[in-house]
Amino acid sequence: MRGQTHTRGRGLALALASVTLAGCALKAVPKGSKLVETIELRARGPRALAEGEVEARLATQKTRHVLQFQLLEGVPVLGLFDTLTVEYHAFDRFVLERDLERIRRYYRARGFYDAQVWAGRVIETERGRVRLEIAVTEGEPVLLESVEFAFPDGLAGSPEELEALFDARFRLERLVAEYRKHPVIAGEGLPRFDEDRFDRVGKDLVRELADAGFAYAAVERAAHVELRTRRAQLRFDVKPGPLSTFGEISIDGAGELGEGVIRERLGIAPGELYSTEKLDLAHDDLASLGVFASVEIVAEVSPLAAPSASASPSASPAPSASPAPSATPSATPPALVAPRVTAIPIAVKLEIAKLRALRLGGGAEVGSRLEMHAIAGWEDRSLLGGLRHFAIEARPGVVLFPTQAAAVFDAAPTDVIPQATLTAAFKQPSFLERRTDLRVETGLRVFAPHISPAPEPVPRDFNIVGYAEVDGAVGLERAFRFPRFFRSTLSASAFVRTRVDFPFSYNLSETAPGYESVVNPYLDLSAAWDFRKDRSGAPTKVEPARGLYAGLGSQLAVGDARDIRLAPELRLFVPVASRLVFALRWTTGFLFPFNYGDSLGEEGPADDAARGRDLQLVGFRAFYSGGPASNRGYGYREIGPRAVLPFVSQRARSSELLPTGGLGLWEVSGELRFAVTERVGAVMFLDSSDVVRTLGEFRLTHPHLAPGAGLRIATPVGPIRIDAAVRPPYLQRLGMPELELEEGGPSPDEPAEFPWAWSLAIGDAF
C-alpha cells in the first residue's frame, strides 16, 4: 500500500510542522565533555595505508556531520537537519592510549612489523573541542617470499572419494595460486603479507573442502617471517579427512505445514554428497517463502572431529615482536582423525510466522486529485497445505472531482466519482521443479484515469472518462542463488498478461472521440540481480547498507497496442560512515510503438478520433515521471510533454495542456540516509528526470533538478516517509528560469507560486 501527497501551496505549513516536531529529537552535547573535532595521522616518511583505513579501527572517533566542516550549520531548516544527524564523540585520554596500541597492532597485521606510533598532540580549539595528532612511521612492509601447499598423496579410497579428492585439490591449488600472486602493490614486486588475507584464505580452503563433501577437513597454517629481510614464508597443510554424506534430516517446528513439503523444498536427502553450499541454498530457499519467522539449519558434525578453523592457535601468523633475526610460531599438533562413518545428521529448526491474516484499513491520495478508499483483504500463506499462497483484496473508493491539493480548501468538488478494485493472486511453489513457482493473478477495476491536473476552469460539459477493466496473468518465477558469488540472487520471471479496458463516461452519455475498447495481451519478462546487503553482510531487500541491484523489465504487446517496452534500472548503496549510507538509483525507459503514436508528432493528423486513440493507447503504455517514488520535486506524472486532450468535452474544447506521457524516460536519484535513532532516520536527496515524446528527443537540457530532505519513521508496515523538495530556477530547463508552457511551465497570466512539493508515503523511495 502506498499513499502520497503533493502540493505547492498550503502544504508548506504541514511540512514545516513535521520538521519542527523532528526537532524534539535533537541530541544534546554531553555535559563536561570535550568533543573530538579532528583526528590527524601524521606519517613520517612514505604512507602505504590510507588515513581513513587506520582511523576506522580506533575507539576514539571525531564528531561527524553528514556534510563535513559543518556546512549546514546555521542554514535555515537544513541546519536543523545537520543537528539531527550529527554524531558526537567525546575525548577520553585513556581510550586514546589504548588506541595507540591498536594502531601498532593494525600496522603489524597489515605486514608493517617495523611500524612505530608516538603519542600525538592534544590541541584545544577556540570552540572548546580538541584536535588530535598522532605520528606514525610505517617502515617497510613484509612481502610474501613463498607459499607452500601440501596435499596428501597416495590416499586410498573408493572411486567416488578419489574423484572428489582430485576435484578438491584442483580447486584448492587454484585458490592458493591466486593468493600467491595477487595483489601486488606498485613498486613492491611481491604481494604484501597481510594477516587478514592469511586468515581468510585458510577459511576459504576449509570451505572449499566442505563444499566438495569433506565435512571433517582441516587446514593447518604456518608463517615464518624473516625480520631482517622482511620476507614471509607460508605453508598450508591440508588434511581432507573422509568423504561425507548427508545423514538423517530432522525437522523441528513444521507445525501444520507438515514435514513432507519442507523436505521437498530443502533439496537435500540422506545419502547425498555433503556440501555446505547446499545447506546455504536450502536455508535461503526456506527463508524466501515468507512463512517462517526464523530458519536454522545445523550440520551436526562430531565435535571431536570438526573442521579445523584457520583461526585456531596452530595457525597464528604473527611472529614474536623481539628484535631477533627471525621468528617462527610454535609447531601445530596433528589434527584428529575423523571416524569412517561420515553420514552427517542435519537438524532443521523452524519458527512459523502467522499464516493467515485479515486486513482492514483505508488510505487517501492528496495531490493532483483527492481520492479516498477503504481496504479489505484476506491472505493465506498455506492454502490447503503445500505452502500455496492465496490473497484477495477489495478497494472501494471515491474521487472528489476536480479538487486538487493546491486548492483543497478553496474549491468544493463538483462530482463524486466512484471507483472499485478487486484483485486476487495465487502462487503454487515447487511447480515443475523445486525452486520454480507458478503464479496466477486476476483483477477487476472501475476507475478514472489519473490525468493531472484537470482543466481550469472545468467546462460544464467536461467528459469525465472512466474505464471498466478486466486483467489476468499467469507465469513462472524462479530465484537462482549464488552463495559463493557475493551471496547474490538472480531472480527471473515470465508472464503472459492480458488487459481489457472498456471506456465509459461518468457524467455524459458518450465517451470521447477515438476512445474505444482496448484489448492488450502482452508477454512480460523481467530479471534482476541482487547484491544488496545489510551492515552485517547478510542479504536484504529492506534498508540495505551496501551492494548493487540491477534489473531489466521488458514487454512485448501484441494486441490493440503493438509495441516493445524496455525499462532497465540500477541501484547502488555505499556505507559512508557508521550510520550514514549513500544510495543512488538510475533508470531509463524505451517504448517502441508499431501501430500508434503518429498523430502525436507535429506532422500527425489533427482529427480528434485519431489523436484520441493514440492518446488512449499512449496513456496505457507510455512512461511518466514525478511523484513520491520518482522525482519528488513534482506531483504525480507532472514531468514531460503536454497536449490539449480531445476528451475534455464532446462539444467544446479547452486550451488546457495536460500530461500525455512519452516514449522515452530517464531518472537519476541520489540520497544520503542517516539513522538518527533505531526508529527515526533522516535523508538528503537530489532527484532529476525527464520524459520525451519520442525517442529521438532524448536530452539533458531539461534535468528537472529537485534537491530536498526528509524523515523516515519505522512502523510495522514499513517506514513512513515524509519528503520535501524545491525546484530551483534555471535548473529545470538549463539556462532558463522556467519550463516551457508545453512542458508544464506557468502561463504568463498565472500567479507566481513557490516552486516546491512535499510527499507522504510508505516505504523507501528505492
Side-chain angles (χ1 to χ4, degrees), residues 42 53 192 198 258 354 362 386 407 426 428 451 464 538 559 586 660 680 687 707 710 713 718 723:
R42 295 184 176 274
E53 179 184 353
R192 188 181 296 169
F198 187 47
K354 191 174 182 180
F426 172 79
Q428 171 64 60
I451 307 291
I464 305 175
W586 166 83
T660 62
V680 179
D687 293 341
I713 304 172
D723 291 325

Side-chain angles (χ1 to χ4, degrees), residues 194-401:
D194 186 303
E195 288 184 14
D196 287 342
R197 288 189 65 233
F198 187 47
D199 181 67
R200 284 197 304 271
V201 76
K203 293 179 180 178
D204 290 344
L205 292 173
V206 173
R207 173 69 188 226
E208 289 283 352
L209 287 166
D211 285 346
F214 298 94
Y216 295 94
V219 175
E220 299 172 357
R221 301 177 295 124
H224 177 88
V225 177
E226 187 69 38
L227 299 179
R228 181 180 297 131
T229 60
R230 297 187 181 86
R231 293 293 185 269
Q233 299 169 354
L234 311 182
R235 181 179 176 86
F236 296 94
D237 287 303
V238 177
K239 301 183 183 302
L243 195 64
S244 303
T245 61
F246 289 116
E248 180 185 353
I249 300 174
S250 61
I251 299 177
D252 181 25
E256 66 176 277
L257 297 176
E259 293 188 7
V261 66
I262 296 174
R263 291 182 185 276
E264 180 183 356
R265 195 75 184 195
L266 278 174
I268 56 177
E272 291 183 356
L273 187 66
Y274 178 86
S275 170
T276 52
E277 181 176 349
K278 288 183 179 180
L279 293 178
D280 289 342
L281 289 172
H283 175 276
D284 292 345
D285 195 45
L286 288 181
S288 68
L289 293 174
V291 299
F292 300 110
S294 67
V295 177
E296 184 180 5
I297 301 180
V298 180
E300 298 180 336
V301 180
S302 171
L304 294 179
S308 174
S310 60
S312 63
S314 63
S316 173
S320 170
S322 64
S326 67
T328 306
S330 59
T332 299
L336 295 172
V337 178
R340 296 300 295 180
V341 179
T342 56
I344 309 299
I346 304 298
V348 181
K349 302 176 183 179
L350 306 171
E351 182 180 344
I352 299 178
K354 191 174 182 180
L355 295 178
R356 298 167 186 85
L358 174 66
R359 296 193 302 271
L360 298 173
E365 176 186 331
V366 182
S368 58
R369 66 179 182 179
L370 179 61
E371 182 262 346
M372 296 174 289
H373 62 264
I375 301 173
W378 171 258
E379 180 182 27
D380 190 331
R381 298 184 182 182
S382 187
L383 180 69
L384 303 176
L387 296 174
R388 300 177 184 89
H389 184 276
F390 176 75
I392 186 169
E393 182 180 272
R395 290 195 178 201
V398 295
V399 175
L400 303 182
F401 182 85

